[in-house]
Amino acid sequence: MKNNINNLLYKNILWATMTLLILAIAFSFLFTQSKAPTELTISALAEKINKGEVEKIIVSGNNLAIDLKNGEKAVAKKETELGLSQTLNNYGVNYSALQAVALEVKDESGFQFWVGILLPTILPLIVIGVMFWLIFRQAKSGAAQAFSFGRANIKMFHSFKDRITFKDVAGLKEAKQELEEVVDFLKNPKKFLEMGARIPRGVLLMGAPGTGKTLLARAVAGEANVPFFHLSASEFVEMFVGVGASRTRDAFATAKKAAPSILFIDEIDAVGRERGAGLGGGHDEREQTLNQILVEMDGFDRDTNVIVLAATNRPDILDRALLRPGRFDRRVFLDLPDIKDREEILKLHAEEKPLAKDVDLKKVAVRTPGFSGADLANLMNESAILAARHNHKLVAQEDLYNSIEKVLLGPERKNRVITEKEKEITAYHEAGHALVAASLKDADPVHKVSIVSRGRAGGYTLKLPVEELHLRSRTQFLTDIAVALGGFVAEKFVFGDISTGASNDIKEASKLARALVTQYGMSEELGPQTFGESHELIFLGKELGGEKNYSETVATKIDEEVKNFIDRGFESAKKIISSRKKVLDAIAKTLIEKETLEREEFDKLVGGFKLKPLAI
Ligand code: ADP
Ligand code: MG
Ligand code: ZN
């Protein structure tokens, strides 16, 4: 932003200097032309007339253009009030000498007269006017808006030409399903209001960079056919405090006026960082902006038909206040595309590109694990460029393969590259979790297994309890520990080595085991007691630390018990994995091939082995 303004300033200064330079050159040009003849005083002219050296005098207004007999030209000025003969008479020109001179009187034309008077006054005004106009025009067109800091730089996509719908978004099936409801609200608010339902205020789109958050937000507006206002939160954070807040106000006002509409706040983490948690002192401007967003969202009436969509790739750092009911209480997760979705995205972006007949996008999808939608769009584009550079008529499979590397090595790509080996390790790791979960009686059913990285973990296995459980038994905790360790055990068993991918699981298992002992009193050894008081720091709303209220002996015992629980989970996972290696292989192989397994597919695959449920 600061840069923008600087650029603008330089541009304008350049403009002004150039204009002045051109004017100066033009003026001096005109001036020298009229200066070419020598200038005579009236007395000198009188003398020349008396001497008979003057051939002709052309009078126009007060200006005299003189042709001398020797061929030279001269100019002179007469007094304003008097006629020429009168003037010359006063300078002692005798009558006969004057008669020898041809006198021509040119009426100073009305135009010339006015130009002569007005030009010197008006020209500078015009120049200044033009300069200001240029400055304003540039300030407006540039993102800077140098003269309207407080106004939101809100972009509206409304035209039907670039209307985007769900058809333009490949994959992301779950996200689309969830947003379908929002579309329905916008299209048909009455239906919901009559049922007494409250229109949702905010939907938070979460996902890695390039997964299509912005695209999907626009598609929602396109589906509902409502105006879409796009603003980037990072632009809010300006050099002047208070600007962000006033821009927020402005943006919300604009969106409300256009209701039903969608207000999209991109990269909301730029302002939505947890407030007050920064130990190095808060960022005033950011906090004010965030507060303003919250105030605006709270100020919606029940029937305000504006839905605020926000996007972030860092949901972990968002302020809790943003996530409260009535604010961004709906969350939609955008996963990186799996093999099938990658193929679809490639297909979508290949639509306007002439592909050779033998191009197989599926093979490209196989070779691009970890690519985001944006990466794939980029890949398609690169391959078209490559084909054009080689003067080919069609994009060939080779071009696509070669572009994969280009995108991988590209400067924008910061996420990690997944190798074949890593893919295999991740597959076995996730298969380990899934198999342990499927084998134990009390485990939550596996909803989805995926080796497409989500956030920092290599893959994930999603287990959801059958019912929303508020009470968990000791057996369930033990099962959870075993499932958490399943990935670790599988890696160790299959590869004889473990990767960093298991570190989160180990942390999770340790946390569970410790909670079992110290919080829930589930250890037989130590009995029903809690150990350590955790402090809720109210103003942060977060648990920061605990206080030790037990002796060292007890501490040792706690550690022993924690280890016991972990060992039990570990043993149980090991037993399952070593005795059911065939199933593990089958799951891992399917994962390498498909990358994601939904619940039905998983159940079908494992069901084929007729596993007996085990107790922990
Ligand atoms: P984000 O906002 O999540 O960083 P964008 O929505 O800006 O990502 O996506 C960037 C580009 O990547 C889009 O303009 C589109 O061309 C492409 N893209 C990303 N995801 C998809 C998808 N699911 N289907 C089609 N194109 C996609
Ligand atoms: Mg984006
Ligand atoms: Zn794991």
Side-chain angles (χ1 to χ4, degrees):
M1 180 71 203
K2 215 171 190 165
N3 254 337
N4 265 343
I5 287 183
N6 274 341
N7 276 345
L8 207 75
L9 217 71
Y10 286 134
K11 240 187 185 163
N12 281 329
I13 289 172
L14 205 76
W15 258 103
T17 328
M18 274 195 2
T19 318
L20 285 178
L21 213 71
I22 289 169
L23 278 175
I25 289 170
F27 265 108
S28 67
F29 190 61
L30 283 174
F31 210 47
T32 39
Q33 240 191 3
S34 63
K35 220 184 174 178
T38 46
E39 207 166 325
L40 296 176
T41 58
I42 288 287
S43 55
L45 176 63
E47 210 181 300
K48 281 195 192 300
I49 293 175
N50 277 339
K51 280 189 198 155
E53 289 173 8
V54 176
E55 165 111 32
K56 188 178 173 188
I57 299 177
I58 301 170
V59 187
S60 67
N62 291 327
N63 296 319
L64 310 175
I66 301 142
D67 290 349
L68 296 177
K69 284 209 172 116
N70 60 9
E72 281 178 27
K73 284 181 190 290
V75 289
K77 271 205 183 336
K78 75 174 179 62
E79 287 162 45
T80 315
E81 300 84 24
L82 302 175
L84 177 63
S85 5
Q86 183 78 51
T87 311
L88 292 173
N89 251 336
N90 290 350
Y91 278 88
V93 173
N94 52 47
Y95 194 63
S96 55
L98 191 57
Q99 269 191 329
V101 177
L103 262 183
E104 195 181 312
V105 179
K106 255 196 195 160
D107 239 355
E108 203 173 25
S109 74
F111 176 71
Q112 254 181 345
F113 176 74
W114 283 111
V115 166
I117 289 180
L118 291 181
L119 205 60
T121 12
I122 284 186
L123 201 63
L125 286 180
I126 292 177
V127 170
I128 291 170
V130 166
M131 264 167 55
F132 264 94
W133 178 72
L134 282 174
I135 289 172
F136 271 113
R137 201 188 54 163
Q138 285 188 4
K140 246 189 194 154
S141 67
Q145 292 197 327
F147 292 91
S148 54
F149 279 120
R151 304 269 302 282
N153 176 27
I154 194 167
K155 288 184 211 96
M156 192 170 114
F157 295 93
H158 200 188
S159 73
F160 289 90
K161 205 168 68 232
D162 49 36
R163 187 176 148 201
I164 282 177
T165 62
F166 282 163
K167 274 209 295 301
D168 301 296
V169 184
L172 296 175
K173 210 175 75 208
E174 287 155 35
K176 278 194 218 165
Q177 256 167 24
E178 282 177 66
L179 288 169
E180 199 71 64
E181 199 184 55
V182 173
V183 173
D184 220 18
F185 268 122
L186 285 168
K187 265 191 185 157
N188 228 332
K190 251 217 202 114
K191 186 170 87 185
F192 293 91
L193 286 172
E194 273 163 12
M195 291 299 280
R198 192 172 51 80
I199 289 185
R201 297 262 186 279
V203 181
L204 189 61
L205 305 176
M206 305 183 294
T211 40
K213 298 181 291 294
T214 311
L215 189 74
L216 196 58
R218 285 182 62 185
V220 172
E223 282 287 324
N225 211 355
V226 298
F228 175 76
F229 298 98
H230 175 277
L231 46 98
S232 176
S234 56
E235 276 174 25
F236 275 170
V237 187
E238 295 292 349
M239 40 194 164
F240 305 121
V241 173
V243 171
S246 97
R247 283 189 181 179
T248 308
R249 227 173 292 128
D250 191 44
F252 274 84
T254 313
K256 268 191 222 166
K257 237 180 268 161
S261 62
I262 285 183
L263 178 61
F264 179 54
I265 307 177
D266 213 349
E267 298 156 46
I268 196 168
D269 41 283
V271 292
R273 246 166 228 278
E274 193 141 17
R275 290 167 296 179
L279 294 176
H283 189 307
D284 245 2
E285 170 62 354
R286 220 173 46 209
E287 277 186 24
Q288 284 197 14
T289 307
L290 176 57
N291 283 337
Q292 191 62 40
I293 291 177
L294 297 179
V295 166
E296 291 289 345
M297 288 185 78
D298 287 345
F300 279 4
D301 295 329
R302 199 178 74 96
D303 55 354
T304 306
N305 203 359
V306 175
I307 291 184
V308 186
L309 296 185
T312 179
N313 46 31
R314 297 291 313 274
D316 49 318
I317 60 165
L318 284 188
D319 196 287
R320 280 152 184 242
L322 268 176
L323 307 175
R324 279 223 319 261
R327 283 132 182 205
F328 293 98
D329 46 0
R330 270 159 211 255
R331 265 150 270 173
V332 175
F333 212 106
L334 280 73
D335 285 323
L336 281 171
D338 64 6
I339 218 163
K340 212 169 67 246
D341 290 346
R342 288 203 297 272
E343 191 187 339
E344 266 178 57
I345 295 173
L346 284 168
K347 241 187 231 155
L348 202 77
H349 287 276
E351 253 163 31
E352 277 155 29
K353 301 186 176 69
L355 297 187
K357 275 224 179 63
D358 62 335
V359 164
D360 187 352
L361 292 178
K362 192 166 191 170
K363 283 188 187 148
V364 181
V366 171
R367 290 197 188 189
T368 47
F371 272 47
S372 69
D375 289 332
L376 294 168
N378 189 11
L379 169 94
M380 244 10 246
N381 192 46
E382 286 293 340
S383 62
I385 291 174
L386 214 60
R389 270 202 4 228
H390 293 157
N391 293 323
H392 294 161
K393 289 253 152 37
L394 302 169
V395 178
Q397 188 82 0
E398 257 318 279
D399 298 324
L400 285 162
Y401 286 159
N402 288 337
S403 309
I404 292 177
E405 274 146 53
K406 188 139 188 212
V407 175
L408 277 177
L409 300 173
E412 295 110 68
R413 204 186 147 74
K414 289 185 199 79
N415 15 3
R416 56 200 214 110
V417 179
I418 301 172
T419 62
E420 292 281 306
K421 185 75 191 166
E422 275 180 301
K423 197 171 167 181
E424 201 190 345
I425 294 175
T426 312
Y428 270 98
H429 178 105
E430 296 307 326
H433 286 304
L435 175 60
V436 174
S439 299
L440 289 173
K441 218 186 333 188
D442 293 295
D444 303 323
V446 174
H447 270 243
K448 185 172 177 178
V449 200
S450 171
I451 56 168
V452 181
S453 72
R454 173 188 270 199
R456 236 146 289 169
Y460 60 93
T461 301
L462 188 65
K463 326 157 245 106
L464 292 177
V466 190
E467 296 156 67
E468 191 76 23
L469 287 178
H470 296 289
L471 298 172
R472 280 181 97 71
S473 67
R474 186 162 167 268
T475 325
Q476 274 165 335
F477 273 121
L478 286 172
T479 309
D480 285 347
I481 293 172
V483 172
L485 291 172
F488 173 89
V489 174
E491 277 188 51
K492 201 169 168 194
F493 184 72
V494 176
F495 301 100
D497 199 1
I498 42 168
S499 71
T500 50
S503 67
N504 241 343
D505 297 334
I506 293 168
K507 213 197 286 168
E508 179 68 28
S510 311
K511 212 169 85 188
L512 274 174
R514 192 159 288 272
L516 218 65
V517 180
T518 61
Q519 315 265 304
Y520 305 122
M522 287 177 176
S523 147
E524 273 140 27
E525 186 75 14
L526 287 157
Q529 262 195 79
T530 63
F531 302 96
E533 252 169 73
S534 66
H535 284 265
E536 290 273 326
L537 281 180
I538 305 301
F539 70 97
L540 288 182
K542 261 199 160 172
E543 199 178 314
L544 269 196
E547 193 175 284
K548 210 168 127 187
N549 61 355
Y550 44 83
S551 69
E552 287 303 321
T553 353
V554 174
T556 321
K557 260 203 191 132
I558 290 176
D559 290 343
E560 270 169 22
E561 271 297 275
V562 170
K563 188 173 179 310
N564 277 344
F565 279 124
I566 300 234
D567 282 350
R568 244 175 105 172
F570 182 81
E571 283 310 318
S572 151
K574 201 166 133 191
K575 214 168 70 201
I576 293 167
I577 283 175
S578 55
S579 66
R580 297 180 168 179
K581 171 87 181 358
K582 252 196 225 139
V583 194
L584 185 78
D585 285 336
I587 300 172
K589 244 175 59 204
T590 319
L591 272 177
I592 290 170
E593 193 185 315
K594 290 194 177 159
E595 296 186 1
T596 312
L597 285 177
E598 297 291 339
R599 182 174 181 175
E600 302 82 53
E601 295 171 280
F602 180 77
D603 284 350
K604 218 172 113 200
L605 177 71
V606 175
F609 290 93
K610 302 228 165 21
L611 299 177
K612 248 200 258 132
L614 303 173
I616 187 141

